[in-house]
C-alpha cells in the first residue's frame, strides 16, 4: 500500500491520539517487565525497566524504537564483553581501570554519526560492568541480560501494541508543510498592493514540519523498504521544500505602486495556478485524493512564456511617449524581478511534484521507465 494511500480509521485514531497511546504503551511495557520480575525475580532486573524507559520515552514510532533498541543491544553486548573480559582476566585494579579509561576514551573519539548511541551505550556499559573491579562476572552478565530483555520488550510492544508508524507522521508533516506554503502563496496573490500581511508564522510552521520530516528519516528506513531504497530522495524532497519556503519568504518583500496594479494583476493571475497546484498536491499527500494530480507538460516553460507576454503587455510604451523617465527604470526592474520570482516558484513546485511522483510510482511497483515526473502527456 502506498504511503500516500488514505489511512485506515484505526491508524488515523492512533495518530490523532498518539501522545495518549504512547503513554499507554510505555505503561504496558513496564507492566510486562514488572510481571516478569514478580514471577522469576532475576537479579538487577531494574536495568530492564530503565532500558524500556530510555528507548520508548522519546521515540513513539515503531522504526525509531527498533533502531534505538538494536543500537542499545549492540552497544550493551560489546561493552559487556569487554568489561567481563577485564574482570575475568586482569587482577590489578590500576590495570583494569587504565584499560577501562583507554576504551571509553577511544569510544569517545570514534563516536559519531548515525550509530553514536550504540557507542554511548557501549561506553557506559563498560563502566557499569567493571564497576569498582571487586565483583565477579555473574553480576555483569545479569545486567547485560536484563538490558537485552528490556530491548526485546520495547520492540515487541512498539510493533504489536497500537503501533505508531513514522510513515503516518512523515506524511502528515509533508502535508502540513505543503498546505502552509499553498496558503501563503494564495493569500499573497489575493492581497492588495503594498500589503502588510505577516506570513512568518505559517512559513515557520512549514519549516518546522520539514525539520520534523528529517528527524523521521531513520525510522522510515526501518518501517518501509520502499522508502529505504529512496532515502536520498527523501532528503532531496526536504531540501526542495526549504527552497520553496525561501522563495515564499521573498514575496512579502515585493512592493509596487498603485499605477502598476494592472501589471501585477496579470502576473498574479498566472501565479495563482501555482497555489492551486500546491493545494492539490497537499490533498493527495494527505490521502484525500486517490491519484497524484498532474501538472501541465513543461510547466515552467509555459509559465515563463506567459509571464513574458504579461510583462511585455504591461510595460509597452507607445512611440509617442517613448521617452524613458527616471521613475520608469526601477518600475520595469521590479516587474521583471517579480516575474522571475514567480518563475522560480513554478520550478520549485514542479520539482516537488517530481519527487512525490517517484515515491508513488515506487510503491505501485511500476517500471522506472514509467516515471514521468508527475506530468500529464
Amino acid at each position: 500500500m502506498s504511503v500516500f494511500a488514505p489511512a485506515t480509521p484505526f491508524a488515523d485514531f492512533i495518530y490523532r491520539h498518539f501522545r495518549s497511546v504512547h503513554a499507554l504503551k510505555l505503561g504496558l511495557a513496564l507492566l510486562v517487565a514488572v510481571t516478569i520480575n514478580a514471577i522469576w525475580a532475576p537479579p538487577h532486573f531494574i536495568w530492564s525497566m530503565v532500558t524500556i524507559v530510555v528507548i520508548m520515552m522519546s521515540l513513539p514510532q515503531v522504526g525509531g524504537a527498533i533502531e534505538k533498541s538494536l543500537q542499545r543491544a549492540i552497544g550493551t553486548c560489546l561493552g559487556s564483553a569487554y568489561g567481563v573480559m577485564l574482570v575475568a582476566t586482569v587482577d590489578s585494579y590500576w590495570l583494569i581501570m587504565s584499560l577501562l579509561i583507554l576504551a571509553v576514551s577511544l569510544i569517545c573519539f570514534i563516536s559519531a554519526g548515525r550509530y553514536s548511541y550504540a557507542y554511548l551505550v557501549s561506553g557506559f556499559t563498560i563502566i557499569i560492568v567493571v564497576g569498582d573491579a571487586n565483583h565477579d562476572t555473574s553480576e555483569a552478565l545479569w545486567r547485560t541480560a536484563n538490558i537485552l530483555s528490556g530491548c526485546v520488550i520495547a520492540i515487541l510492544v512498539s510493533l504489536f501494541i497500537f503501533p505508531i508508524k513514522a510513515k503516518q507522521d512523515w506524511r502528515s508533516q509533508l502535508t502540513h508543510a505543503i498546505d502552509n506554503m499553498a496558503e501563503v502563496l494564495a493569500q499573497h496573490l489575493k492581497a492588495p498592493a503594498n500589503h502588510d500581511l505577516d506570513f512568518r508564522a505559517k512559513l515557520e510552521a512549514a519549516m518546522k514540519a520539514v525539520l520534523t520530516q528529517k528527524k523521521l528519516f531513520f525510522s522510515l528506513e526501518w518501517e518501509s523498504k520502499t522508502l529505504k531504497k529512496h532515502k536520498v530522495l527523501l532528503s532531496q524532497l526536504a531540501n526542495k521544500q526549504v527552497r520553496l519556503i525561501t522563495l515564499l519568504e521573498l514575496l512579502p518583500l515585493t512592493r509596487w505602486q498603485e499605477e502598476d496594479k494592472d501589471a501585477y494583476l496579470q502576473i498574479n493571475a498566472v501565479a495563482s495556478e501555482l497555489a492551486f497546484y500546491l493545494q492539490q498536491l497537499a490533498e493527495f499527500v494527505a490521502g484525500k485524493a486517490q491519484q497524484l494530480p498532474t501538472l501541465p507538460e513543461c510547466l515552467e516553460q509555459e509559465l515563463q512564456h506567459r509571464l513574458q507576454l504579461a510583462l511585455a503587455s504591461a510595460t509597452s510604451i507607445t512611440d509617442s511617449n517613448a521617452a524613458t523617465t527616471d521613475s520608469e527604470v526601477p518600475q520595469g526592474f521590479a516587474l521583471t524581478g517579480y516575474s522571475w520570482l514567480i518563475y522560480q516558484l513554478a520550478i520549485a513546485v514542479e520539482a516537488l511534484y517530481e519527487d512525490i511522483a517517484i515515491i508513488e510510482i515506487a510503491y505501485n511497483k511500476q517500471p522506472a521507465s514509467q516515471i514521468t515526473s508527475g506530468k500529464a502527456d
Side-chain angles (χ1 to χ4, degrees):
M1 180 182 293
S2 171
V3 69
F4 302 122
T8 64
F10 179 69
D12 185 61
F13 173 82
I14 290 178
Y15 182 72
R16 285 188 289 108
H17 304 282
F18 83 93
R19 291 185 181 276
S20 300
V21 172
H22 182 217
L24 175 63
K25 291 174 64 173
L26 178 60
L28 289 174
L30 291 174
L31 179 60
V32 172
V34 169
T35 303
I36 293 175
N37 186 41
I39 296 174
W40 288 289
H44 307 290
F45 197 74
I46 191 65
W47 282 104
S48 179
M49 300 180 68
V50 170
T51 299
I52 291 171
V53 173
V54 170
I55 291 174
M56 297 186 64
M57 180 71 78
S58 59
L59 292 170
Q61 295 87 6
V62 172
I66 293 176
E67 166 138 354
K68 196 165 186 177
S69 295
L70 291 177
Q71 288 201 39
R72 188 172 181 87
I74 293 172
T76 297
C77 290
L78 294 176
S80 177
Y82 183 80
V84 169
M85 181 195 70
L86 291 182
V87 173
T89 61
V90 181
D91 294 330
S92 170
Y93 170 82
W94 285 109
L95 181 57
I96 289 180
M97 290 304 171
S98 297
L99 293 173
L100 181 151
I101 293 172
L102 177 63
V104 173
S105 299
L106 179 62
I107 290 171
C108 178
F109 177 75
I110 64 177
S111 175
R114 177 172 181 173
Y115 302 104
S116 58
Y117 182 67
Y119 290 115
L120 170 66
V121 172
S122 179
F124 71 68
T125 299
I126 294 174
I127 297 175
I128 292 171
V129 169
V130 173
D132 57 3
N134 291 322
H135 55 266
D136 57 27
T137 58
S138 63
E139 182 177 344
L141 294 175
W142 272 115
R143 287 177 177 177
T144 302
N146 288 322
I147 291 175
L148 294 177
S149 68
C151 292
V152 172
I153 293 172
I155 291 176
L156 293 178
V157 171
S158 296
L159 277 174
F160 300 111
I161 306 296
F162 304 128
I164 301 173
K165 297 296 184 68
K167 292 188 295 184
Q168 182 82 355
D169 195 12
W170 174 78
R171 185 177 78 167
S172 178
Q173 296 299 332
L174 179 59
T175 302
H176 186 58
I178 297 175
D179 196 49
N180 272 282
M181 290 186 284
E183 191 172 347
V184 168
L185 181 57
Q187 289 183 2
H188 170 78
L189 296 176
K190 294 178 182 178
N194 297 314
H195 67 80
D196 58 353
L197 296 178
D198 189 355
F199 300 124
R200 284 178 299 178
K202 289 187 178 298
L203 291 176
E204 287 175 359
M207 184 63 75
K208 184 178 179 181
V210 175
L211 295 176
T212 303
Q213 293 172 44
K214 291 184 176 182
K215 293 178 181 178
L216 294 170
F217 286 170
F218 291 154
S219 298
L220 291 172
E221 291 181 28
W222 286 99
E223 292 184 13
S224 171
K225 293 181 179 179
T226 302
L227 293 179
K228 184 176 182 179
K229 293 178 182 177
H230 292 81
K231 57 184 179 181
V232 175
L233 184 64
L234 292 178
S235 179
Q236 293 175 352
L237 180 61
N239 293 335
K240 289 175 182 178
Q241 292 173 72
V242 172
R243 179 172 181 266
L244 189 52
I245 292 171
T246 303
L247 291 170
L248 290 172
E249 287 178 337
L250 298 176
L251 281 180
L253 302 179
T254 57
R255 293 290 184 270
W256 58 86
Q257 302 300 321
E258 186 63 30
E259 56 267 23
D260 304 323
K261 181 179 179 180
D262 292 339
Y264 279 93
L265 286 178
Q266 292 183 53
I267 296 176
N268 286 354
V270 178
S272 62
E273 297 178 21
L274 297 178
F276 173 73
Y277 295 141
L278 274 176
Q279 190 59 52
Q280 279 193 321
L281 186 60
E283 291 179 0
F284 169 75
V285 172
K288 297 179 181 179
Q290 294 184 351
Q291 292 185 344
L292 177 67
T294 56
L295 291 176
E297 188 176 4
C298 300
L299 170 66
E300 72 276 7
Q301 288 88 347
E302 178 186 343
L303 186 62
Q304 182 184 33
H305 177 68
R306 292 168 60 187
L307 287 171
Q308 288 174 343
L309 291 178
L311 185 60
S313 174
T315 58
S316 61
I317 302 175
T318 61
D319 294 337
S320 59
N321 57 352
T324 303
T325 63
D326 293 338
S327 61
E328 288 174 334
V329 174
Q331 180 187 94
F333 176 79
L335 286 170
T336 304
Y338 187 69
S339 61
W340 176 88
L341 179 58
I342 299 301
Y343 172 62
Q344 292 299 318
L345 282 171
I347 295 176
V349 170
E350 191 171 42
L352 212 59
Y353 263 80
E354 289 177 355
D355 287 352
I356 292 177
I358 292 174
I359 294 174
E360 175 65 7
I361 290 173
Y363 266 98
N364 293 332
K365 301 184 184 301
Q366 299 179 16
S369 59
Q370 296 186 21
I371 297 178
T372 57
S373 302
K375 299 178 187 178
D377 293 333

